Amino acid sequence: SNKPRKKKKKRKTKKNSAGETVEDNELEDIDSLLERIEDPRLAPQSQGGVPADSRPLLYVEHRNLNPENELKRYFGARAVLGDQRPRQRQRQYIRSMWLTAPKNTWPRYSKTGITMQLLDTRRGVQHFTFEHHREYQQVQFKFLDAVESMDPNNIVLLLQMNPYHVDSLLQLSDVCRMQEDQEMARDLIERALYSLECAFHPVFSLTSGTCRLDYRRPENRAFFLALFKHLMFLEKRGCPRTALEFCKLILSLDPENDPLCVLLLIDFLSLRAREYTFLTRLFQEWESHRNLSQLPNFAFSVPLAYFFLSQQEERPELERGQARERAARLLQLALIMFPSVLMPLLDHCSVQPDARVASHPFFGLNAQISQSPALNQLTSLYVGRTHALWKDPAVMAWLEPHVHEVLRMVDAQDTLVQEAEHKRKIRYQSAPRNIYRHIILSEMKEATAALPLEVTSQPVMGFDPLPPLDSIVSYTRPERTSHPSNESTLSLFFRSLLPNFNLQGDMRHDGDDEAGAAQDLNQGVNRLMAAMRDMLANIQFQEPPRDDNPEGDGDWD
């Protein structure tokens, strides 16, 4: 019974002699322990130093959503933050967010009328949806009127009254980007993300990968589009790791349907961020049920990722050898399946192929002409987006022998070549709507030029490009009063004075049009005369005080 007392007395003495050191050390130990738990580098690792696949594939880390953390790794905290710290102490309290950092230059935030509701939970997956309250719906109707006016100034006026209306921010961001005001365009997208994050449901989680949003609901589309536009700005800003995290977030919101088809982009961001292990793991886990190898971007990017893994000297020789073998096998399969990629890729890299490759019909112009328009869109998108990753001389040196090996297989009439040609003819007949939506949002000129006429001929709005054909509409825009085009000039004149006037009368539903034509005409004339009498009776004149006739029957023109 005395032992605990002695220990307690010792700790107390130590604390008294050193002030608060014991308590501070304990707090530091807790903080360091939490950091060790959250640090992915200290997570359980498999052989070869590769992190074990203990976390979900689409797990999102909060710290990787902040581009400043990535820029600090590149340039240091002092270069990124500069003199921001002293200012932050003096500024007023602003709510801390995960998706974006609020700025002092933004208008004061107040509730916009957007909320998020939990619809249901199925098999451990939670389905949410954004909802627009009545006041937000009225602003949405005004926004649609502003869009139809084709005048961006009307959207600016609407934003002055409603500074956090999301669709207005998205649309005006596109206008600023077209006018090459990238800073303002990016700022408007961040403000839209801030507005949506303020409406999150308390249970909604960005990191779990188990929260879903249905793109068919118009209220949810703004969140998808704001995330996509934000990651495009991040990639151009030189933050591919942060952009990859946002890409994973978009995919986790609806991994089955992938409404913005970010699978066409996630491989490029993984390679740029040097997250080769993530890309190969995604391919291994999803290939069986998603057929990722049938997409040209995965067919070429995955072997490229294995090649980069084989070049990492810190890995054991056995792992590097296995990566080289997988890279060689997958690259040859990609060249056999998509021969039309090689020549445009070499052209973008300013590489002249040798005589055998240039003259062989398998990789020649016929390979591009004979493929379907849908496949041409996918290959053009991949080449235009990722050709810079293939410019490395080491990559070109690795590519060359495999091209010659594929030509040998073609000349030998290998069954793999014939099977690939058969698959190309059967598949890729038409692209799904989400691929068209992705190409429009990506704005890759190589792929946009290959879009079909039915897509390019219809108007595309930045706040809702190519809406789904099976949309789930919760509220509709009230119909404007439409007037028959066969009204007379006199009828239109009186309608402008008396909105309730209707010369045509009520529509007849008995089908006896001819018998009631004369009666309708008489009713219309009578209604017109009654309207004229009503108009004349309601006209008031500003007469001098000396007016002797209170009935007001003086002459007027």
Side-chain angles (χ1 to χ4, degrees):
S1 61
N2 291 332
K3 269 190 176 181
R5 291 181 183 175
K6 287 182 180 179
K7 283 186 179 180
K8 190 173 180 181
K9 188 175 182 182
K10 264 189 177 180
R11 290 177 66 184
K12 188 176 180 181
T13 306
K14 187 176 182 182
K15 183 178 176 181
N16 290 338
S17 61
E20 298 293 327
T21 52
V22 172
E23 186 177 348
D24 292 343
N25 289 336
E26 288 177 355
L27 292 176
E28 289 177 2
D29 292 341
I30 294 174
D31 291 340
S32 62
L33 180 61
L34 291 175
E35 289 178 0
R36 288 174 61 84
I37 292 174
E38 295 179 356
D39 193 344
R41 294 172 297 180
L42 300 175
Q45 294 189 346
S46 60
Q47 294 181 357
V50 180
D53 298 339
S54 57
R55 293 184 300 188
L57 179 65
L58 299 179
Y59 177 81
V60 176
E61 294 187 56
H62 275 144
R63 69 175 132 196
N64 288 332
L65 293 175
N66 188 356
E68 286 190 357
N69 293 335
E70 184 172 5
L71 293 174
K72 287 177 190 175
R73 290 197 295 268
Y74 298 152
F75 307 108
R78 185 179 298 276
V80 175
L81 296 178
D83 57 347
Q84 292 182 14
R85 290 180 178 176
R87 294 180 184 174
Q88 288 179 354
R89 294 173 185 171
Q90 300 173 3
R91 73 176 185 179
Q92 58 181 353
Y93 172 74
I94 298 180
R95 182 179 176 183
S96 177
M97 312 300 285
W98 289 117
L99 295 177
T100 183
K103 300 178 182 178
N104 292 328
T105 56
W106 289 356
R108 184 178 181 85
Y109 178 80
S110 59
K111 290 187 177 180
T112 59
I114 303 180
T115 58
M116 179 184 279
Q117 299 296 329
L118 174 62
L119 296 178
D120 59 357
T121 303
R122 299 191 300 266
R123 299 178 181 177
V125 176
Q126 298 168 314
H127 296 263
F128 295 86
T129 183
F130 285 97
E131 289 186 349
H132 294 171
H133 291 179
R134 185 176 299 275
E135 61 271 17
Y136 193 89
Q137 294 179 15
Q138 299 302 320
V139 179
Q140 188 74 8
F141 299 150
K142 294 178 182 178
F143 164 73
L144 295 176
D145 293 339
V147 171
E148 291 180 356
S149 70
M150 305 297 290
D151 186 359
N153 293 322
N154 292 331
I155 302 178
V156 174
L157 293 174
L158 182 64
L159 274 176
Q160 289 177 353
M161 302 297 296
N162 307 275
Y164 287 95
H165 181 253
V166 179
D167 284 349
S168 297
L169 294 168
L170 296 179
Q171 190 71 26
L172 192 59
S173 174
D174 286 348
V175 175
C176 293
R177 189 168 42 79
M178 292 176 186
Q179 295 176 352
E180 299 184 355
D181 189 353
Q182 302 293 332
E183 190 66 27
M184 177 58 70
R186 189 177 70 201
D187 186 81
L188 293 172
I189 294 298
E190 292 178 359
R191 202 198 301 180
L193 283 175
Y194 176 73
S195 177
L196 291 167
E197 188 173 359
C198 288
F200 278 179
H201 191 276
V203 185
F204 185 80
S205 172
L206 295 171
T207 60
S208 65
T210 58
C211 296
R212 303 286 185 265
L213 288 174
D214 194 343
Y215 193 82
R216 293 176 301 171
R217 297 181 181 271
E219 297 89 345
N220 296 337
R221 294 173 198 164
F223 189 51
F224 283 89
L225 296 170
L227 290 172
F228 189 91
K229 292 173 185 289
H230 185 56
L231 79 84
M232 296 299 289
F233 280 118
L234 289 170
E235 193 274 327
K236 294 176 182 177
R237 191 180 171 188
C239 300
R241 183 66 185 86
T242 310
L244 174 62
E245 211 68 13
F246 274 91
C247 192
K248 290 162 59 178
L249 173 59
I250 297 175
L251 188 57
S252 70
L253 295 176
D254 194 352
E256 295 299 325
N257 300 310
D258 191 13
L260 300 186
C261 208
V262 293
L263 281 177
L264 298 178
L265 174 65
I266 197 168
D267 62 300
F268 168 67
L269 296 176
S270 300
L271 292 174
R272 280 218 51 203
R274 301 183 180 180
E275 293 289 329
Y276 310 127
T277 305
F278 167 76
L279 179 56
T280 56
R281 181 189 170 193
L282 175 65
F283 181 76
Q284 292 170 3
E285 294 188 11
W286 284 27
E287 167 63 16
S288 59
H289 65 282
R290 298 294 288 269
N291 293 323
L292 297 183
S293 60
Q294 301 307 308
L295 295 174
N297 59 309
F298 272 94
F300 282 90
S301 291
V302 172
L304 187 59
Y306 276 118
F307 170 75
F308 287 134
L309 287 174
S310 69
Q311 301 298 305
Q312 295 179 350
E313 298 180 355
E314 65 272 14
R315 293 184 175 274
E317 183 58 35
L318 178 61
E319 285 189 10
R320 295 172 61 187
Q322 293 175 349
R324 277 193 295 269
E325 292 177 2
R326 292 178 182 176
R329 178 171 54 86
L330 291 175
L331 179 63
Q332 292 175 14
L333 291 175
L335 290 170
I336 291 173
M337 187 66 197
F338 306 106
S340 62
V341 172
L342 181 65
M343 288 303 182
L345 184 63
L346 296 179
D347 184 51
H348 277 74
C349 296
S350 303
V351 174
Q352 184 67 31
D354 58 27
R356 183 191 178 200
V357 176
S359 60
H360 203 285
F362 186 72
F363 290 121
L365 187 61
N366 185 51
Q368 302 174 44
I369 298 176
S370 61
Q371 68 182 3
S372 65
L375 182 56
N376 187 34
Q377 294 155 17
L378 294 176
T379 56
S380 301
L381 182 69
Y382 178 73
V383 172
R385 176 175 280 157
T386 60
H387 63 88
L389 299 173
W390 292 82
K391 284 186 176 181
D392 188 352
V395 174
M396 281 296 164
W398 163 68
L399 174 64
E400 183 178 6
H402 297 298
V403 172
H404 286 284
E405 176 62 22
V406 168
L407 289 182
R408 186 195 63 79
M409 296 171 65
V410 172
D411 294 338
Q413 298 183 352
D414 195 294
T415 55
L416 283 176
V417 180
Q418 298 174 359
E419 291 175 1
E421 183 178 1
H422 180 66
K423 290 178 181 178
R424 284 197 302 274
K425 290 181 179 179
I426 296 179
R427 302 170 182 173
Y428 314 107
Q429 296 300 319
S430 62
R433 199 170 179 85
N434 61 339
I435 290 182
Y436 292 149
R437 197 178 294 127
H438 176 90
I439 293 174
I440 291 173
L441 290 172
S442 300
E443 296 182 349
M444 298 293 302
K445 59 181 181 180
E446 293 87 355
T448 306
L451 284 174
L453 184 61
E454 61 266 20
V455 176
T456 57
S457 59
Q458 57 180 303
V460 178
M461 298 299 177
F463 68 95
D464 191 9
L466 296 182
L469 301 177
D470 55 347
S471 297
I472 302 175
V473 180
S474 59
Y475 66 93
T476 57
R477 183 183 180 187
E479 294 184 2
R480 295 183 175 182
T481 306
S482 58
H483 311 303
S485 59
N486 58 349
E487 289 189 15
S488 64
T489 306
L490 185 61
S491 174
L492 293 174
F493 167 70
F494 281 107
R495 185 183 297 281
S496 66
L497 298 176
L498 303 169
N500 295 326
F501 168 71
N502 184 9
L503 177 63
Q504 304 297 329
D506 298 331
M507 297 297 293
R508 299 181 60 87
H509 299 283
D510 55 2
D512 193 7
D513 295 332
E514 294 181 0
Q519 182 181 358
D520 287 345
L521 180 60
N522 293 332
Q523 290 179 355
V525 172
N526 293 334
R527 198 174 289 110
L528 174 60
M529 297 303 297
M532 291 179 63
R533 284 193 297 268
D534 182 67
M535 181 184 69
L536 294 175
N538 291 329
I539 292 180
Q540 298 179 0
F541 298 94
Q542 297 293 333
E543 296 291 341
R546 59 181 176 79
D547 184 21
D548 297 327
N549 187 5
E551 295 300 322
D553 56 353
D555 296 336
W556 58 285
D557 292 330

